[in-house]
Amino acid sequence: MIFIQISGELFADDYPRNHGIDIQHYTFSLALSDTSDTIVGETTVTVSFKKNGIQQFRLDLINSSKARDGRGMVVRSVKSGERVLQFTHNNDALVIHLPEPAASGEIVDITITYSGIPADGLRIGDTKYGDRSFFSNNWPNRARHWLPVIDHPYDKATSEFIVTAPLRYQVISNGLLKEETNLHNGDKLTHWKQSVPIPSWLFVLGVAEFAIQYVDEFRGKSVQSWVYPQDREIGSRNFAEPTMHSLRFFSEYIGPFAYEKLANIQSPSVGGGMEAATAVFYSENAIQEEQTPWLHNVIVHEVAHHWFGNAVTESTWDDAWLSEGFATYFTLLFREHAYGRDDFLNHLDKAKKRVFEYYSDHPEYKIVDTRSPETGPVTSLATYQKGAWILHMLRNLVGDPAFKKGIQSYYHRYMNSTASTDDFKFEMEQASGNNLDAYFNQWLYQGGNPVVEGHWSYHPEQQVVTVQLSQVQSKQYRFEFPVEFGIYYDEQILPDVATRLMDQQRMELKISVEEEPEEVVIDPHSKLLAKWNLVKK
């Protein structure tokens, strides 16, 4: 395991961070054509220098190569104003050399001119209806295939896209539309500007023939639908209700919506949903005559990402659960709000089953661990479903008021910035007054999940139920957790509940009762991520 220490923080992924610079803004100027898949780009990067003496810095940009059948980018020039700068572009890294050392606090605009056919990141091809289109999908580190950027979530910047494309296309991107001008040569110039900082994988571009509908407004922010003309009649019906309802819920529960608009977009570049800030892509096949439950959940999940993942971004890939686990759990919280407790518990139970199915094949998987998209996936099913369950158990551990207070404090502190798991833990400890070291260590930093076997018996002379429990998951994993026992008496619908702490591998627990129970069950209110088998002896 490789750790990099920066200003007291530990990072397990080994991305080559630019320690002395901060990218404040990108201006991406792109020319697209119907006669070729080659894109012509000019990117102006606004760089702030944080210390003296820096003479070079690095951006990610995929090289054109034989291994990619000639696809990739070729850099033509790098300039600062009219001054030509030296650069090297090898091994998918663009290193820009400054003519003299930069001074701390200095801000410089540097313009990179390049061209090429993207090998990934920007999909150029037909929609399902056979119409030519251009759609991005930068997750998790594919923006570098067509944009010169710091392609890692630790660096967030504002941005704008200035796109020249044939007149018949409409262009969607992050932020607000600043200009749309028909040019004399049969092209159209479209200019979008995003004034809220985001990481590179959230930069978005969609160029196609669209039917555009301005569906509603949320607190002065436009809510839009962009679908293929063939799906015009059904497009906005799919998106409108869950988008508006979840925007209201998340704003009230967590904090203000950070962005300038929210557009829902039909796209061939994603298989589910992609939460690109202000411009969310959904699978082109998801738009159907009647909205499916699957699409409803995906819409709410992608809206939730505008708080977690987009506004508060994980500072390293190791902490990807701060995005996906949070968006998954807040989708469930929305369902609890909108459709009731039974619906919420039903979806929690489905999530638990998926966790244990995943861990049957990946028993050692840790939610927070060394992650790098250069070497493997940065998320898994467990990142989503177990991540959500970790938040659910934390909510039950600290109580609803403290959980909500901690969530709001975490969002307020790190909105439009980056955060780590330790940052989140600190906010929850402050809100609850609890030391959460043990909780976070066992659920996030170790593998496995609790599996409990046991039996219970009733002793009439003592009016006591005795429960024998054993943790039988892999011996290398031990958990400490509160266990709720539901005590059911004859014809009783809701159980009496007794809570005991299981802090050993094997335990005997005693519960006082008034009469012999009909049944004793573990976790009657779905508060624990565990499998169990409890029988009467």
Side-chain angles (χ1 to χ4, degrees):
M1 183 177 293
I2 299 172
F3 288 94
I4 302 170
Q5 188 158 5
I6 303 172
S7 303
E9 294 184 89
L10 288 175
F11 299 98
D13 74 54
D14 58 356
Y15 179 85
R17 289 169 175 77
N18 292 294
H19 307 306
I21 70 167
D22 175 32
I23 305 295
Q24 296 190 336
H25 186 79
Y26 296 96
T27 300
F28 303 114
S29 297
L30 295 169
L32 308 177
S33 169
D34 274 346
T35 60
S36 170
D37 289 348
T38 297
I39 66 172
V40 178
E42 182 180 277
T43 295
T44 298
V45 183
T46 302
V47 186
S48 173
F49 293 91
K50 299 191 290 185
K51 62 181 184 181
N52 292 322
I54 295 175
Q55 288 195 271
Q56 66 179 40
F57 67 91
R58 177 190 181 281
L59 299 174
D60 296 296
L61 185 64
I62 294 293
N63 288 90
S64 173
S65 70
K66 291 182 179 179
R68 300 185 179 100
D69 296 324
R71 293 175 180 265
M73 298 297 122
V74 176
V75 176
R76 307 298 180 185
S77 68
V78 178
K79 293 182 178 181
S80 179
E82 294 302 314
R83 193 169 189 177
V84 176
L85 304 184
Q86 298 298 310
F87 68 90
T88 59
H89 186 206
N90 299 307
N91 301 318
D92 303 328
L94 174 63
V95 179
I96 297 171
H97 303 274
L98 304 176
E100 59 270 330
S104 178
E106 187 176 356
I107 298 176
V108 177
D109 285 342
I110 294 174
T111 300
I112 303 142
T113 302
Y114 64 100
S115 62
I117 299 175
D120 203 346
L122 183 67
R123 178 192 182 277
I124 302 174
D126 290 349
T127 69
K128 68 177 183 177
Y129 293 112
D131 299 323
R132 184 170 169 82
S133 65
F134 308 75
F135 281 92
S136 61
N137 185 358
N138 295 332
W139 170 262
N141 65 334
R142 292 187 285 170
R144 66 186 71 184
H145 280 275
W146 61 294
L147 302 172
V149 290
I150 293 178
D151 204 9
H152 188 280
Y154 88 90
D155 189 90
K156 301 176 76 168
T158 56
S159 60
E160 52 196 304
F161 277 84
I162 303 171
V163 179
T164 302
L167 184 62
R168 65 192 181 94
Y169 294 121
Q170 286 81 41
V171 176
I172 182 67
S173 187
N174 311 100
L176 294 178
L177 183 62
K178 306 298 290 184
E179 180 185 357
E180 199 173 39
T181 299
N182 294 344
L183 305 176
H184 294 302
N185 63 353
D187 285 342
K188 178 168 61 178
L189 183 148
T190 309
H191 182 184
W192 289 90
K193 186 173 183 179
Q194 165 93 355
S195 298
V196 181
I198 56 175
S200 59
W201 60 268
L202 294 176
F203 296 150
V204 67
L205 181 65
V207 180
E209 294 178 83
F210 284 112
I212 305 166
Q213 295 177 321
Y214 296 86
V215 177
D216 211 329
E217 284 193 356
F218 176 75
R219 299 182 181 177
K221 315 290 182 66
S222 177
V223 178
Q224 305 167 12
S225 170
W226 294 58
V227 299
Y228 305 153
Q230 297 90 333
D231 292 325
R232 173 182 171 275
E233 294 295 328
I234 61 177
S236 65
R237 291 205 307 269
N238 277 246
F239 293 128
E241 190 278 332
T243 300
M244 295 302 297
H245 195 175
S246 58
L247 278 170
R248 288 192 293 269
F249 173 73
F250 295 137
S251 294
E252 292 165 4
Y253 192 108
I254 306 165
F257 180 68
Y259 298 98
E260 300 137 315
K261 75 168 188 304
L262 185 57
N264 293 310
I265 303 149
Q266 188 176 15
S267 168
S269 66
V270 299
M274 175 47 63
E275 64 274 11
T278 79
V280 181
F281 282 0
Y282 298 91
S283 167
E284 62 181 4
N285 295 316
I287 310 303
Q288 299 180 18
E289 186 65 35
E290 296 295 331
Q291 184 196 78
T292 64
W294 175 86
L295 179 59
H296 184 284
N297 276 346
V298 172
I299 292 168
V300 176
H301 181 98
E302 307 309 335
V303 173
H305 268 307
H306 280 74
W307 281 261
F308 301 115
N310 297 9
V312 181
T313 304
E314 58 269 34
S315 56
T316 179
W317 292 119
D318 306 351
D319 291 320
W321 85 285
L322 295 174
S323 175
E324 297 300 352
F326 276 58
T328 302
Y329 189 58
F330 274 82
T331 300
L332 297 180
L333 286 182
F334 170 79
R335 296 196 67 91
E336 183 179 32
H337 159 78
Y339 310 117
R341 184 73 176 176
D342 288 346
D343 179 276
F344 171 72
L345 294 177
N346 178 50
H347 282 81
L348 263 179
D349 185 60
K350 291 178 180 178
K352 178 187 289 188
K353 290 176 181 175
R354 296 182 73 188
V355 169
F356 278 94
E357 287 170 0
Y358 182 82
Y359 273 83
S360 66
D361 295 324
H362 308 86
E364 298 182 3
Y365 188 86
K366 302 170 185 176
I367 299 301
V368 178
D369 201 358
T370 305
R371 306 273 190 256
S372 173
E374 281 78 16
T375 58
V378 296
T379 61
S380 72
L381 181 147
T383 312
Y384 294 72
Q385 308 300 338
K386 185 174 179 179
W389 258 97
I390 289 167
L391 290 175
H392 178 63
M393 291 187 292
L394 180 62
R395 175 188 171 199
N396 284 290
L397 178 65
V398 303
D400 276 3
F403 181 78
K404 188 173 183 179
K405 180 180 178 183
I407 288 291
Q408 291 178 346
S409 175
Y410 170 68
Y411 182 71
H412 176 77
R413 183 178 297 273
Y414 297 103
M415 178 182 176
N416 297 330
S417 184
T418 62
S420 67
T421 296
D422 279 347
D423 293 328
F424 174 62
K425 180 169 78 73
F426 177 81
E427 296 301 327
M428 296 307 298
E429 287 178 333
Q430 293 296 108
S432 66
N434 294 1
N435 183 318
L436 297 173
D437 285 347
Y439 181 85
F440 274 67
N441 285 338
Q442 73 177 9
W443 290 110
L444 287 160
Y445 296 100
Q446 76 168 17
N449 295 291
V451 179
V452 178
E453 296 282 351
H455 58 79
W456 66 275
S457 55
Y458 172 63
H459 304 280
E461 66 283 356
Q462 300 169 315
Q463 288 191 301
V464 162
V465 166
T466 299
V467 183
Q468 302 280 351
L469 290 182
S470 298
Q471 293 190 42
V472 297
Q473 69 275 358
S474 170
K475 291 182 180 179
Q476 70 186 101
Y477 302 123
R478 287 292 169 263
F479 292 85
E480 180 178 308
F481 47 87
V483 183
E484 285 192 350
F485 295 92
I487 314 298
Y488 288 88
Y489 300 101
D490 188 34
E491 297 183 357
Q492 186 174 350
I493 298 174
L494 296 176
D496 294 349
V497 176
T499 303
R500 299 291 186 270
L501 180 66
M502 186 164 192
D503 57 1
Q504 300 174 32
Q505 183 181 355
R506 293 180 176 83
M507 294 187 68
E508 179 178 282
L509 308 170
K510 295 186 180 297
I511 303 170
S512 296
V513 294
E514 296 180 359
E515 58 181 288
E516 182 174 5
E518 183 75 19
E519 187 178 12
V520 178
V521 300
I522 292 177
D523 195 32
H525 298 308
S526 299
K527 296 181 179 180
L528 178 63
L529 180 61
K531 286 176 68 174
W532 55 81
N533 182 34
L534 184 65
V535 297
K536 185 176 182 180
K537 185 175 181 180

